[in-house]
Amino acid sequence: MGGSRGNLRVWWERGRALGAANPLVVDIGLALLVQAAMTMPFLVPRAAEAPPATWGAYGLSTLTVVPLVWRRRAPVAALSGVLATSALYRFTLDGPGQPLPYTGLVVVYTIAALSSARKRLATGAVLLVAVPVGVWLNTRSARELTFSLFVFAAAYGFGRLTDARQRANRVEAEQAAARERARIAREMHDILSHAVSLMIVQAEAGPVAVRAAPERAEAAFDAISAAGRDAMAQLRQMLGVLRDGGDEDAGAAPREPQPGLADLPDLLERVRSGGLDVRYGTAGAVRPLPGAVAATVFRVVQEALTNTVRHAGARTVAVRLTYGDDDLSVRVTDDGRGPQPGSGGSGHGLAGIRERAAAHGGSAMTGRGTDGQGFEVLVRLPVPAPVEAAR
């Protein structure tokens, strides 16, 4: 049962995509469907005193459906065509009547969903005249007048609801695109800032090492190339996710998982290669983390270390992960010069750390270390304990 519903949903989504790409085909199909509904009164047995179901009357009823083909491109003109052909049908052949004004309802719905407020107001004024006149020419009954006004008002209401839903979908899509752009900007900032900072530190130390300790110079150049290769690999990975799956060279950028805790040792080693003493430790019951949380932990540590390398002038930095019962704390502290007056911790990197923490319902604090020295980044992320551990 669930599989059949899934298949129906897939076909429905495909149909919607096909309709969005070919609106004229959809309008022609809708016109044919309305024509099929209007054919029914011509097929059922009729009373002797009823208007005859002639081929001429059927052909004229078909003429009233034709304007629906242009309902989206020119909805007001389509309404005028429907009114004109319906009046022609009534005053000439006057064949079998219809239980519902199908063509008028479709056009009114379309105008309500797609047209401007001025056109909707003009349509309402026309209907307030056309509907009573049509009822007077037909049965002159209050019951039919009430029913006609109700169904046209319902069609208008459904059109306005459709317009509101489409607007909400567009706003949601724009917001999702904005969030994705911000996420990509954070990722690229973290990748490039970290790699370039390490490369600058190693390049500045290279000339000194060449004169004093050539073997260290070789290690510095190796660290520069390693940082560059790692940055390029991560950028290719990110661009591979953005690239269209049908692109010819999609295989050039494999879509690998985001970095996680398993990648922390390599990150710390690259920072150590620049001469910074990096210490790493954990506390609490270490447990696997969801992929998104693990990637956030990696990026937080990466950005905190980048700030230390670029701004702190530190000799030592400590990275500590503390696993609580329902959260994880990431603390990065250094013994550098600490926050500078007027900086306010407003850099893009620190803002990115706060945004990453907030995306998981966590929090981030930055400032002077707990002992009054250096700089500290503290991020807390909610990480529920596994069900097995809870038992």
Side-chain angles (χ1 to χ4, degrees), residues 8 10 35 53 67 141 146 173 178 214 237 263 302 319 322 334 347 349 388:
L8 288 175
V10 169
Q35 180 61 35
S141 68
T146 303
Q237 173 188 333
D263 301 287
Q302 182 184 55
V319 178
T322 303
D334 63 55
E388 292 80 7

Side-chain angles (χ1 to χ4, degrees), residues 283-290 321-329 380-391:
V286 178
R287 59 182 182 273
L289 302 176
L321 307 184
T322 303
Y323 292 80
D325 293 336
D326 55 2
D327 67 353
L328 171 68
S329 296
R380 288 190 173 90
L381 302 172
V383 183
V387 175
E388 292 80 7
R391 293 177 181 174

Side-chain angles (χ1 to χ4, degrees), residues 301-320:
V301 174
Q302 182 184 55
E303 180 57 34
L305 292 176
T306 301
N307 285 337
T308 298
V309 171
R310 293 178 61 186
H311 307 298
R315 290 175 298 177
T316 302
V317 61
V319 178
R320 187 173 183 83

Side-chain angles (χ1 to χ4, degrees), residues 147-306:
F147 177 75
S148 298
L149 291 175
F150 172 77
V151 294
F152 276 107
Y156 182 87
F158 281 123
R160 296 308 301 149
L161 287 175
T162 298
D163 178 61
R165 186 178 69 249
Q166 291 173 344
R167 289 175 182 270
N169 290 340
R170 286 195 295 269
V171 170
E172 183 178 356
E174 291 171 358
Q175 292 175 342
R179 289 193 297 268
E180 186 64 10
R181 286 195 298 269
R183 186 191 69 81
I184 293 172
R186 287 197 303 268
E187 295 286 338
M188 296 190 70
H189 171 274
D190 290 352
I191 294 170
L192 294 176
S193 178
H194 178 75
V196 172
S197 297
L198 290 182
M199 294 166 72
I200 290 173
V201 169
Q202 296 287 358
E204 290 176 342
V208 177
V210 167
R211 294 188 296 269
E215 68 281 359
R216 287 187 56 195
E218 182 177 351
F221 292 135
D222 289 341
I224 291 173
S225 62
R229 284 194 300 269
D230 180 69
M232 289 298 296
Q234 293 191 57
L235 289 175
R236 281 198 301 268
Q237 173 188 333
M238 183 178 302
L239 295 176
V241 173
L242 296 177
R243 182 180 290 121
D244 185 1
D247 204 351
E248 294 179 353
D249 58 347
R255 300 184 181 185
E256 301 173 354
Q258 286 287 313
L261 297 188
D263 301 287
L264 275 181
D266 291 338
L267 171 66
L268 302 181
E269 189 58 38
R270 286 197 300 271
V271 177
R272 288 192 187 101
S273 67
L276 187 64
D277 181 12
V278 182
R279 302 171 183 177
Y280 175 65
T282 63
V286 178
R287 59 182 182 273
L289 302 176
V293 176
T296 293
V297 172
F298 179 90
R299 294 301 188 197
V300 166
V301 174
Q302 182 184 55
E303 180 57 34
L305 292 176
T306 301

Side-chain angles (χ1 to χ4, degrees), residues 62-74:
T62 301
L63 188 61
T64 66
V65 178
V66 172
L68 296 184
V69 176
W70 294 275
R71 69 183 185 96
R72 268 189 276 203
R73 285 173 289 176

